[in-house]
Amino acid sequence: MTKTAACSILALAAFPVLLSLMPMSAFAQAGAGRPKAPKGKPTPRTEDGKVDFSGVYSPPGRAPGDPPSKSGEGYSHNIARDLEPDDVPMQPWAKELFHKRFDEDVSKDDPEGFCLPMGTPRMAPYPWKIVQTDKLLLMLYEGNVHGYRQIFLDGRAHDPTVKETYWGDSIGHWDGDALVIDTVGLGFGDGRNNHSWLDADGHPRTNKLHITERLTRPELGRIIDEITIDDPGAYTRPWTVVEKSSLAPGWEIQETICNENQDENGQNQDAQHLISLPHGIGIENKEK
């Protein structure tokens, strides 16, 4: 089975029978048989005394010993997995669209299932890595299309030319031991298309999306990302999620190529698992 097939199946988490088709490496990411992150060891620091976030981490909520969520979903499937429904203040149109994507369509149009980048702040259920210098912090992701984020720490302002991108333009500054990351240039149009979702369940994002993160590392084996989602195009007020990732001792991220299963038209050959193709992505299948 190809990596694309795995991405497609992940997009259909509501179909448990399909999960049995996932490659064994995907199950390994859930934590079975892996060493746990060390506990109680001091926070590492750079030569200038700043917190050093460098390392390879398990996806949030999927490290050995991580407690399950209320719904049983990971953050990749439901970014709001730890929140109550009223904590996600969707506008009426956004709530209706979310219902259609998740309940009616069973996430068949999830753009990540078609090898599009997951984008900020979505997290794939695979390991990820932070590489830190004094001027730049990189987040490297094993999952999806092996993507990355750049967080500039050199005091620059936002690049005004970055608009409607998957990852956005991110700049960071220190607030004590916390790294505050500000990301703009996100979203695609009014959010009704299928180019980028906040998660596999289908929480929408629009071109008004603004992400603020507060990244901390209280000890060697754990980092905490407090993510505030401010998208007045889809939500009535900002809302916040907290994702905790554990250090993955002895692990390194691996190469994942999602689009190896495309035909000559750039179409996902595993689309039968997704039921139908999303509007605006690739060449739609007009056959009845």
Side-chain angles (χ1 to χ4, degrees):
M1 177 175 290
T2 67
K3 293 289 186 179
T4 300
C7 290
S8 300
I9 293 169
L10 284 171
L12 290 173
F15 289 125
V17 66
L18 292 178
L19 294 178
S20 64
L21 302 177
M22 294 174 64
M24 290 303 294
S25 60
F27 285 111
Q29 313 302 340
R34 287 164 41 198
K36 292 185 178 181
K39 291 186 177 181
K41 293 190 175 182
T43 301
R45 295 183 181 272
T46 61
E47 291 183 358
D48 61 359
K50 297 286 195 302
V51 172
D52 187 354
F53 292 100
S54 301
V56 176
Y57 299 91
S58 297
R62 294 180 64 87
D66 279 358
S69 67
K70 298 177 182 178
S71 63
E73 296 176 290
Y75 291 102
S76 60
H77 286 95
N78 182 8
I79 193 172
R81 60 169 243 173
D82 297 327
L83 304 181
E84 299 296 335
D86 290 343
D87 294 332
V88 186
M90 287 183 278
Q91 295 182 16
W93 75 265
K95 184 177 294 187
E96 181 179 348
L97 179 61
F98 175 77
H99 171 74
K100 183 179 187 307
R101 288 173 173 175
F102 180 62
D103 295 318
E104 297 181 14
D105 295 340
V106 200
S107 298
K108 69 178 177 63
D109 289 341
D110 180 6
E112 191 176 359
F114 291 88
C115 295
L116 291 175
M118 57 188 181
T120 306
R122 186 169 176 173
M123 179 66 74
Y126 296 92
W128 59 295
K129 182 176 185 175
I130 291 180
V131 179
Q132 181 179 335
T133 72
D134 60 336
K135 303 296 185 183
L136 179 68
L137 185 143
L138 297 174
M139 294 182 178
L140 311 177
Y141 300 103
E142 176 179 309
N144 188 238
V145 290
H146 209 50
Y148 65 91
R149 287 179 64 192
Q150 299 184 96
I151 295 93
F152 296 101
L153 308 177
D154 55 5
R156 71 180 67 185
H158 281 298
D159 181 351
T161 67
V162 178
K163 297 180 180 179
E164 293 199 333
T165 65
Y166 290 96
W167 302 103
D169 180 68
S170 297
I171 56 177
H173 69 271
W174 292 95
D175 181 13
D177 282 346
L179 180 60
V180 180
I181 304 170
D182 190 84
T183 304
V184 298
L186 294 161
F188 290 91
D190 61 6
R192 291 171 173 82
N193 58 53
N194 289 313
H195 288 292
S196 189
W197 299 359
L198 289 179
D199 52 25
D201 285 0
H203 286 98
R205 53 178 261 190
T206 77
N207 57 13
K208 296 181 179 180
L209 177 62
H210 175 203
I211 298 294
T212 305
E213 299 166 85
R214 191 174 180 86
L215 193 65
T216 55
R217 191 173 190 174
E219 58 179 311
L220 170 66
R222 182 165 53 105
I223 63 173
I224 301 172
D225 194 3
E226 182 180 298
I227 306 167
T228 298
I229 298 167
D230 185 4
D231 187 350
Y235 304 92
T236 60
R237 55 176 172 79
W239 50 289
T240 300
V241 299
V242 178
E243 297 181 352
K244 301 177 181 179
S245 296
S246 295
L247 191 68
W251 275 59
E252 186 52 86
I253 58 174
Q254 302 174 17
E255 183 175 274
T256 299
I257 306 300
C258 180
N259 61 349
E260 62 184 3
N261 197 29
Q262 304 298 305
D263 63 20
E264 65 274 12
N265 297 315
Q267 196 60 273
N268 187 342
Q269 296 186 84
D270 196 50
Q272 64 268 26
H273 289 301
L274 298 176
I275 303 174
S276 68
L277 299 176
H279 178 73
I281 298 176
I283 300 174
E284 292 188 272
N285 185 356
K286 302 297 184 181
E287 296 179 3
K288 298 295 184 180

